[in-house]
């Protein structure tokens, strides 16, 4: 495979060489233009595109123009290799670039070229900080070209606006905080509505912000509430992190449903008394936990029940399962943190807090109960989509990262994306030392502290990578005990990220960081802005030393940590310090490693140097990567079943949003149902009651349809603002049915797993049953709307509510209390009204 890939890369680079030569030949021409002429040139390009010229034809001129803007605003000239990356991304490919090669700057080329079509270009980042940083940093280039730049972050949106800044960037330079702290960044960002942000030419934001906005877009009750434009072109930074690592978990939007059960708190107390290997067993490879017969008897005794799995007690099994998972598998300061009496998920790949996200299926409530918090209300699903299916909706997709080639096959199969390895501007001279493996964690950390002290004493900066906040804080304590000054970076102090990273390349700097420092972080020797004299001293000391305290499950994430060192031809060294007690080796190495260690009979503090150990580590990572690929494949396969249904639902919802003549819309439905009333009503009695309520005496089927249609026409004409009312009722019924359908599908996923024991394929079973559940969806909608219309009162405003058995329309008189700005938004986003649908209200 890799031989073929290598040949493909060579052919590709040879093919686009003339394009790069053409761009370079235009440089002198654009250097002569004034700043005003550059903006005028942009307007002319837009006209040429509107008149039919292709982006490919204009690419050399536009790339040369962007390069000139960058030289004038940032003092940075795009290298030829960045131009190559820009061409690759414009063509819908993934550009693999080494750390420090300027991915962020390279992305300005295809982003600006494609925004000239008048359609918004989305640049997807791995976190809010980078979205803001890049919008401001690259915003200077775009602004000089006459393009508008926006960024989306959690519960906020901004436009880059140089006039909005409180102080000039040159003055802030003196504080050595260049684009490092939020104080600097936010001085350029003007708060705007999300709708206004989406009207910008280029929008920076995280995958979660774009994805959740897409789901919310299909929950609005008025076309004016729509904020996104058509999904045109997305450039994904750290594309392997977003489209692969994070793609195991779908995006799910929910709203509180019913009061959370007291059972979560009760079971949190019960499982605390259970003992591992006696009462429950953990499968660390599969990350699952199961109760033993002995443990089950203990639980039943504490609950005072004879049989937990009997029909009357079966509902309790769910609470036991979730309580056990929360207690045995999910660790504080690794999988989540508790902050301001709230459980916040920690992203295992980036080390960042995932505000607003909750574990599904009751797990989050179980963790809240475990931590002594009152479990929040359980949620009902309003919308869901996998990242794979969301990003495949863009007309064009591209990306950039330093570690894509290992996942080239998955990018090709799932997203139809090619990976292009971009040659570095300067040769990479970093030294990656072999792993050091120790017997125990205690010895490993002792040796880590010794190595850090050695580097500190000679002035070599060190970046220490840890997999969790727990280890991060433990190592910080050990360094403090040894009197070694250092900085700590984790999700708990993320607001200091910019300032810490800006100083991480200075002489003698020791930075202990979680995966937050593994992607998108540029550590510059001598600090940021750099001190040239100091930078040279550090180079003589060997550059930045990156020390990994544990191997990650994915080799790509290890490579990302290594990639913080050796930028742009700088020297650097990397090395991982491991122990046989590390999870990866303990779980997947097992008895083989233990037997090897016994044979070697090494001194306790001697590192184990063995090709066998290295091979075990590689095999372990491959196993986990394989398992994670299966999870992603499994997630996508199930979502593919839903995708067709989701598209049909969204299409119907959009038709209703755009509908202006609800008389014809309703008339078709009423004619259809009136034609065969008896098939819709469960019994003749209910049909009779319906007709009596309408004041219609049954006069035989021949005349019934005519009477109902006549009644419909009179009623429709008599109700004030009828079109708006029917629109709201229709959308409410649709949303109710969709939410129920999603819940049914979630329950179906659980039930089909059991069928595997009967030698049946769960996915095939899911497809069959999901199709059955979907049949009649729109028939149910039409009948519920039929009932709702005939129950509508003339001078009432309707609100759709849910009862235990079926949806109904309840009534609230006009003049109802206005929604407060701090009240929960009625759209179900979970946000305050002022931050959601009420954002544009004065």
């Amino acid at each position: 495979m890799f031989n073929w890939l290598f040949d493909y890369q060579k052919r590709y680079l040879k093919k686009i060489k003339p394009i790069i030569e053409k761009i370079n030949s235009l440089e002198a021409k654009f250097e002569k233009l004034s700043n005003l002429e550059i903006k005028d040139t942009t307007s002319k390009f837009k006209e040429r595109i509107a008149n039919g010229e292709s982006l490919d034809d204009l690419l050399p001129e536009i790339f040369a123009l962007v390069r000139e803007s960058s030289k004038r605003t940032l003092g940075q000239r795009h290298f030829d290799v960045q131009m190559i990356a820009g061409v690759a991304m414009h063509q819908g490919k993934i550009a693999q670039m080494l750390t420090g090669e300027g991915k962020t700057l390279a992305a300005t080329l295809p982003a600006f070229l494609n925004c000239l079509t008048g359609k918004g270009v989305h640049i997807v980042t791995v976190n809010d900080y980078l979205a803001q940083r890049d919008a401001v940093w690259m915003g200077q280039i775009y602004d000089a070209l006459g393009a508008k730049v926006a960024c989306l972050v959690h519960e906020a949106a901004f436009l880059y606006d140089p006039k909005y800044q409180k102080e000039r960037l040159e003055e802030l330079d003196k504080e050595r905080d260049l684009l490092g702290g939020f104080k600097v960044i936010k001085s350029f960002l003007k708060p705007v509505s999300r709708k206004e942000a989406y009207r910008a030419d280029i929008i920076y934001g995280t995958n979660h912000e774009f994805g959740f906005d897409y789901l919310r877009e299909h929950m609005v009750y008025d076309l004016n509430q729509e904020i996104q434009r058509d999904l045109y072109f997305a450039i994904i930074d750290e594309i392997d992190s977003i489209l692969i690592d994070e793609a195991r978990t779908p995006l799910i939007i929910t709203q509180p449903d019913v009061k959370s059960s007291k059972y979560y708190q009760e079971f949190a107390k019960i499982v605390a008394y259970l003992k591992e290997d006696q009462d429950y067993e953990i499968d660390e490879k599969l990350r699952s936990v199961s109760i033993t017969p002995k443990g089950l008897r203990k639980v039943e005794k504490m609950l005072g029940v004879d049989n937990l799995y009997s029909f009357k007690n079966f509902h309790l099994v769910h609470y036991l399962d979730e309580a056990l998972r929360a207690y045995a598998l999910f660790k504080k300061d690794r999988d989540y943190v508790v902050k301001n009496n709230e459980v916040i998920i920690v992203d295992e790949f980036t080390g960042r807090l995932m505000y607003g996200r909750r574990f599904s299926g009751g797990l989050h409530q179980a963790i809240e109960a475990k931590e002594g918090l009152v479990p929040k209300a359980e949620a009902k699903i309003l919308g869901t989509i996998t990242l794979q299916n969301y990003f495949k909706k863009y007309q064009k997709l591209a990306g950039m990262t330093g570690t894509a080639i290992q996942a080239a096959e998955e990018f090709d199969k799932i997203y139809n994306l090619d990976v292009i390895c971009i040659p570095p501007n300067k040769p990479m001279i970093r030294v990656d030392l072999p792993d050091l493996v120790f017997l125990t964690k205690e010895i490993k950390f002792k040796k880590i502290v010794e190595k850090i002290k050695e580097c500190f004493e000679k002035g070599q900066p060190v970046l220490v990578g840890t997999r969790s906040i727990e280890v991060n804080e433990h190592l910080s304590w050990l360094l403090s005990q040894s009197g070694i000054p250092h900085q700590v970076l984790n999700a708990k102090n993320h607001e200091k990220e910019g300032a810490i990273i800006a100083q991480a390349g200075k002489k003698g700097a020791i930075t202990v960081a979680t995966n937050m420092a593994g992607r998108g972080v540029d550590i510059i020797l001598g600090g940021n802005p750099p001190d040239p004299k100091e930078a040279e001293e550090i180079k003589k000391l060997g550059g930045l030393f990156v020390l990994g305290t544990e191997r990650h499950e994915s080799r790509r994430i290890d490579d990302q940590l290594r990639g913080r060192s050796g930028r742009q031809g700088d020297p650097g060294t990397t090395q991982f310090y491991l122990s046989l007690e590390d999870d990866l080796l303990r779980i997947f190495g097992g008895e083989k490693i233990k037997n090897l260690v016994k044979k070697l009979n090494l001194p306790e503090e001697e590192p184990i140097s063995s090709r066998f150990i290295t091979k075990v580590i590689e095999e372990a990572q491959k196993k986990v990567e394989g398992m994670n690929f299966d999870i992603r494949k499994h997630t996508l396969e199930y979502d593919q079943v839903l995708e067709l249904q989701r598209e049909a639902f969204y299409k119907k919802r959009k038709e209703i949003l755009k509908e202006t003549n609800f008389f014809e819309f309703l008339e078709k439905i009423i004619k259809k149902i009136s034609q065969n009333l008896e098939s819709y009503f469960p019994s003749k009695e209910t049909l009779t009651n319906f007709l009596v309520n309408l004041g219609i005496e049954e006069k035989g089927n021949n005349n019934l349809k005519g009477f109902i249609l006549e009644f419909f026409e009179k009623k429709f004409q008599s109700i004030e603002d009828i079109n708006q009312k029917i629109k709201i009722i229709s959308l409410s019924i649709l949303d109710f049915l969709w939410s129920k359908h999603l819940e049914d599908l979630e329950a179906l996923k659980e039930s089909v797993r059991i069928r595997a024991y009967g030698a049946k394929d769960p996915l095939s079973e899911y497809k069959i049953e999901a199709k059955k559940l979907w049949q009649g969806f729109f028939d149910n909608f039409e009948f519920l709307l039929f009932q709702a219309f005939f129950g509508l009162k003339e001078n009432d405003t309707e609100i759709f509510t849910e009862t235990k058995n079926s949806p109904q329309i309840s009534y609230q008189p006009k003049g109802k209390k206005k929604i407060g700005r701090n009240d929960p938004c009625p759209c179900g986003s979970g946000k305050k009204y002022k931050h959601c649908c009420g954002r544009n209200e004065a």
Side-chain angles (χ1 to χ4, degrees):
M1 173 191 157
F2 284 102
N3 287 337
W4 173 85
L5 201 56
F6 180 72
D7 290 340
Y8 171 74
Q9 306 281 336
K10 281 177 67 178
R11 290 196 306 273
Y12 181 81
L13 293 175
K14 185 179 179 180
K15 187 178 179 181
I16 65 170
K17 188 180 178 182
I19 300 174
I20 308 305
E21 290 172 349
K22 175 68 175 175
I23 295 167
N24 290 338
S25 72
L26 294 166
E27 189 165 11
K29 171 188 171 182
F30 287 108
E31 282 177 337
K32 296 174 185 176
L33 298 179
S34 69
N35 291 342
L36 188 59
E37 284 173 325
I38 282 180
K39 281 196 175 180
D40 287 343
T41 303
T42 297
S43 301
K44 290 172 185 174
F45 279 132
K46 286 184 177 179
E47 288 176 15
R48 289 169 66 183
I49 291 167
N51 290 331
E53 285 194 63
S54 74
L55 294 183
D56 290 343
D57 291 340
L58 295 176
L59 184 148
E61 292 177 82
I62 292 172
F63 274 31
L65 186 69
V66 176
R67 174 189 266 173
E68 184 59 31
S69 178
S70 178
K71 284 159 59 179
R72 296 187 189 190
T73 55
L74 301 183
Q76 296 181 14
R77 179 184 179 276
H78 292 77
F79 303 130
D80 284 1
V81 291
Q82 289 171 312
M83 291 286 176
I84 294 170
V87 173
M89 286 188 274
H90 164 66
Q91 293 177 350
K93 301 180 188 298
I94 297 170
Q96 175 166 299
M97 303 174 72
L98 294 176
T99 306
E101 291 295 309
K103 296 191 297 291
T104 307
L105 188 63
T108 60
L109 300 161
F112 183 71
L113 171 63
N114 283 270
C115 86
L116 294 175
T117 60
K119 303 169 185 177
V121 173
H122 296 173
I123 301 183
V124 187
T125 64
V126 289
N127 59 63
D128 286 348
Y129 168 73
L130 290 176
Q132 293 178 89
R133 185 202 73 174
D134 294 353
V136 171
W137 189 11
M138 299 299 111
Q140 298 167 77
I141 298 173
Y142 300 126
D143 184 67
L145 291 166
K148 281 190 176 181
V149 182
C151 73
L152 305 169
V153 296
H154 185 59
E155 294 193 346
F158 303 93
L159 275 181
Y160 169 73
D161 185 357
K163 296 173 185 175
Y164 184 72
Q165 65 189 42
K166 296 179 176 67
E167 296 176 81
R168 296 302 302 170
L169 189 60
E170 294 80 23
E171 294 169 6
L172 292 162
D173 243 353
K174 296 172 186 175
E175 300 179 21
R176 288 179 172 244
D177 200 16
L178 177 62
L179 299 173
F182 274 13
K183 177 183 72 175
V184 182
I185 291 172
K186 287 190 175 177
S187 69
F188 289 87
L189 296 173
K190 179 182 178 182
V192 294
S193 71
R194 231 165 168 75
K195 189 169 188 173
E196 188 176 350
Y198 272 110
R199 295 303 175 271
D201 300 296
I202 296 157
I203 307 108
Y204 287 85
T206 65
N207 54 313
H208 296 123
E209 295 305 310
F210 288 120
F212 281 124
D213 280 346
Y214 173 80
L215 289 175
R216 282 190 284 266
E217 191 83 341
H218 294 92
M219 293 166 55
V220 300
Y221 275 62
D222 192 291
L223 285 172
N224 292 325
Q225 294 173 337
E226 292 185 334
I227 57 172
Q228 284 189 332
R229 292 191 276 172
D230 289 342
L231 302 179
Y232 168 54
F233 181 32
I235 301 172
I236 306 177
D237 192 8
E238 307 298 354
I239 191 168
D240 56 320
S241 176
I242 291 170
L243 291 193
I244 291 182
D245 295 334
E246 293 192 35
R248 282 188 277 161
T249 309
L251 299 174
I252 301 173
I253 196 162
T254 63
Q255 75 172 23
D257 189 10
V258 294
K259 191 174 179 181
S260 191
S261 172
K262 64 179 181 179
Y263 287 121
Y264 285 116
Q265 291 165 306
E266 188 173 342
F267 275 90
K269 294 173 185 174
I270 288 172
V271 297
Y273 286 100
L274 303 182
K275 295 179 181 177
E276 187 180 346
D277 295 330
Q278 293 182 28
D279 302 319
Y280 62 88
E281 294 174 345
I282 298 174
D283 187 328
E284 291 185 287
K285 290 183 182 179
L286 298 176
R287 267 206 103 181
S288 64
V289 59
S290 57
I291 194 86
T292 64
K294 182 181 177 182
L296 182 60
R297 289 193 295 272
K298 194 180 281 189
V299 170
E300 288 171 342
K301 187 176 180 182
M302 285 188 274
L303 285 172
V305 301
D306 294 330
N307 181 4
L308 190 64
Y309 287 89
S310 67
F311 181 77
K312 68 175 181 178
N313 296 323
F314 194 75
H315 66 287
L316 299 176
V317 175
H318 163 75
Y319 299 103
L320 173 61
D321 289 345
E322 297 308 320
L324 261 181
R325 288 180 69 208
Y327 183 77
L329 300 178
F330 288 79
K331 290 184 180 179
K332 184 179 177 181
D333 290 339
R334 185 191 71 183
D335 303 298
Y336 64 90
V337 298
V338 178
K339 194 173 183 179
N340 300 325
N341 289 325
E342 187 178 356
V343 170
I344 304 170
I345 300 172
V346 176
D347 188 317
E348 66 173 302
F349 303 109
T350 65
R352 297 175 186 276
L353 298 184
M354 302 173 77
Y355 290 100
R357 299 285 298 275
R358 288 176 67 82
F359 294 115
S360 60
L363 175 60
H364 212 96
Q365 284 84 352
I367 293 172
E368 286 167 335
K370 166 190 167 183
E371 294 296 337
L373 305 174
V374 177
K376 290 188 178 177
E378 297 202 54
K380 65 177 179 180
I381 302 173
L382 301 179
T384 179
I385 192 170
T386 58
L387 287 173
Q388 294 101 315
N389 273 329
Y390 169 68
F391 280 109
K392 283 160 77 174
K393 292 183 183 298
Y394 282 86
Q395 289 179 42
K396 187 160 71 171
L397 196 60
M400 48 191 179
T401 181
T403 48
I405 204 70
Q406 298 98 322
E409 189 176 355
E410 186 168 348
F411 279 125
D412 179 44
K413 284 183 177 177
I414 304 297
Y415 303 100
N416 197 27
L417 287 170
D418 290 339
V419 177
I420 303 297
C421 294
I422 309 298
N425 186 50
K426 293 180 181 178
M428 208 264 285
I429 60 172
R430 186 187 73 221
V431 177
D432 297 328
L433 296 173
D435 297 349
L436 294 178
V437 185
F438 298 92
L439 290 173
T440 66
K441 283 185 179 180
E442 185 180 356
I443 298 170
K444 178 182 78 170
F445 282 115
K446 180 184 175 184
K447 295 297 181 181
I448 287 172
V449 172
E450 288 176 4
K451 182 61 181 179
I452 293 170
K453 189 174 183 180
E454 177 193 319
C455 293
F456 173 71
E457 287 175 348
K458 68 178 182 179
Q460 184 177 17
V462 181
L463 172 66
V464 186
T466 64
R467 278 191 60 187
S468 69
I469 297 170
E470 182 182 31
V471 173
N472 181 272
E473 293 177 340
H474 174 65
L475 185 53
S476 173
W477 181 82
L478 290 175
L479 291 173
S480 297
Q481 293 295 103
S482 299
I484 302 172
H486 61 283
Q487 292 288 334
V488 175
L489 178 61
N490 61 44
K492 291 182 178 179
N493 68 339
H494 64 91
E495 66 281 350
K496 296 179 182 177
E497 177 180 4
I500 292 171
I501 293 299
Q503 305 305 312
K506 291 190 68 64
K507 191 173 180 180
I510 309 296
T511 309
V512 183
T514 57
N515 288 343
M516 284 177 69
R519 280 189 186 269
V521 171
D522 205 0
I523 297 176
I524 299 170
L525 299 184
N528 187 8
D531 179 326
K533 185 179 176 183
E534 188 175 321
E536 284 306 310
E537 288 179 30
I538 294 167
K539 287 178 184 179
K540 289 175 185 176
L541 292 170
L544 178 69
F545 188 95
V546 170
L547 194 158
T549 61
E550 195 173 347
R551 283 284 196 169
H552 200 278
E553 291 177 349
S554 169
R555 289 167 292 172
R556 288 179 293 98
I557 297 176
D558 290 340
D559 290 343
Q560 284 288 345
L561 178 61
R562 289 191 195 276
R564 299 314 101 199
S565 178
R567 64 182 297 281
Q568 274 295 308
D570 286 343
T573 308
T574 72
Q575 190 164 35
F576 280 82
Y577 280 56
L578 314 177
S579 89
L580 298 183
E581 294 177 344
D582 292 350
D583 288 347
L584 192 69
L585 286 171
R586 181 177 53 80
I587 297 168
F588 291 94
E591 294 300 319
K592 289 182 183 178
I593 291 181
K594 288 180 183 176
N595 293 334
L596 173 69
V597 172
K598 285 178 183 178
K599 287 179 185 177
L600 293 173
N601 196 26
L602 294 169
E604 193 178 59
E605 295 196 3
E606 188 80 19
I608 305 164
S609 180
S610 166
R611 289 183 182 177
F612 174 74
I613 298 283
T614 305
K615 189 177 179 183
V616 168
I617 292 168
E618 289 177 358
E619 286 178 354
Q621 288 182 312
K622 285 178 182 177
K623 277 182 186 176
V624 179
E625 287 170 0
M627 287 166 58
N628 289 340
F629 172 74
D630 288 341
I631 292 170
R632 290 190 294 273
K633 185 168 173 278
H634 174 88
T635 301
L636 181 59
E637 284 172 341
Y638 278 78
D639 195 58
Q640 289 290 68
V641 178
L642 177 59
E643 175 67 6
L644 295 173
Q645 298 172 2
R646 179 168 45 231
E647 284 299 304
F649 168 73
Y650 285 169
K651 183 182 177 184
K652 186 70 173 180
R653 209 178 184 285
K654 178 70 80 172
E655 286 173 3
I656 292 170
L657 273 173
K658 291 181 175 179
E659 185 62 64
T660 55
N661 187 348
F662 277 96
F663 180 85
E664 290 182 5
F665 177 81
L666 260 179
E667 187 180 42
K668 287 179 185 175
I669 292 172
I670 289 170
K671 280 181 178 178
K672 176 183 171 183
I673 293 173
S674 299
Q675 192 73 37
N676 195 6
L677 273 173
E678 291 176 351
S679 67
Y680 283 89
F681 284 89
S683 68
K684 190 166 183 177
E685 186 181 354
T686 55
L687 172 57
T688 302
N689 289 338
F690 167 75
L691 295 173
V692 169
N693 287 335
L694 295 188
I696 301 173
E697 292 181 14
E698 192 171 352
K699 299 183 178 181
N701 290 334
N702 293 334
N703 299 322
L704 200 51
K705 179 182 175 183
F707 285 123
I708 291 174
L709 283 170
E710 185 181 343
F711 186 91
F712 155 69
E713 290 179 23
K714 289 178 182 176
K715 188 175 179 70
F716 191 93
Q717 300 299 333
S718 69
I719 297 176
E720 183 184 347
D721 198 18
I722 184 64
N723 279 299
Q724 182 62 16
K725 289 179 178 178
I726 296 301
K727 177 182 286 189
I728 292 173
I729 294 172
S730 300
L731 293 172
S732 299
I733 293 172
L734 264 184
D735 290 347
F736 164 80
L737 291 172
W738 182 243
S739 179
K740 280 292 184 190
H741 183 64
L742 293 176
E743 287 179 6
D744 289 343
L745 290 178
E746 282 298 307
L748 178 61
K749 277 184 199 173
E750 295 297 320
S751 68
V752 294
R753 287 177 192 166
I754 301 170
R755 301 185 192 183
Y757 294 107
K760 292 184 177 180
D761 175 38
L763 180 60
S764 299
E765 292 291 301
Y766 180 78
K767 288 178 179 177
I768 293 166
E769 297 297 332
K771 187 176 180 181
K772 289 178 184 176
L773 285 173
W774 179 247
Q775 286 172 351
F777 181 91
F778 292 117
D779 285 339
N780 287 342
F781 159 71
E782 290 175 351
F783 183 54
L784 289 170
L785 180 57
F786 175 89
Q787 288 179 295
F789 171 77
F790 287 112
L792 188 62
K793 296 180 182 178
E794 293 182 8
N795 296 310
D796 288 346
T797 301
E798 65 293 329
I799 296 175
F800 188 79
T801 60
E802 177 189 342
T803 65
K804 288 183 180 179
N805 298 316
S806 65
Q808 292 182 340
I809 301 298
S810 65
Y811 302 94
Q812 187 171 329
K814 282 186 173 179
K816 63 183 179 186
K817 183 181 176 183
K818 186 179 177 182
I819 301 167
R821 299 215 7 105
N822 289 311
D823 290 345
C825 189
C827 79
S829 67
K831 296 181 180 181
K832 291 181 179 179
Y833 182 68
K834 66 182 179 183
H835 292 315
C836 195
C837 297
R839 188 183 292 108
N840 297 324
E841 292 186 5

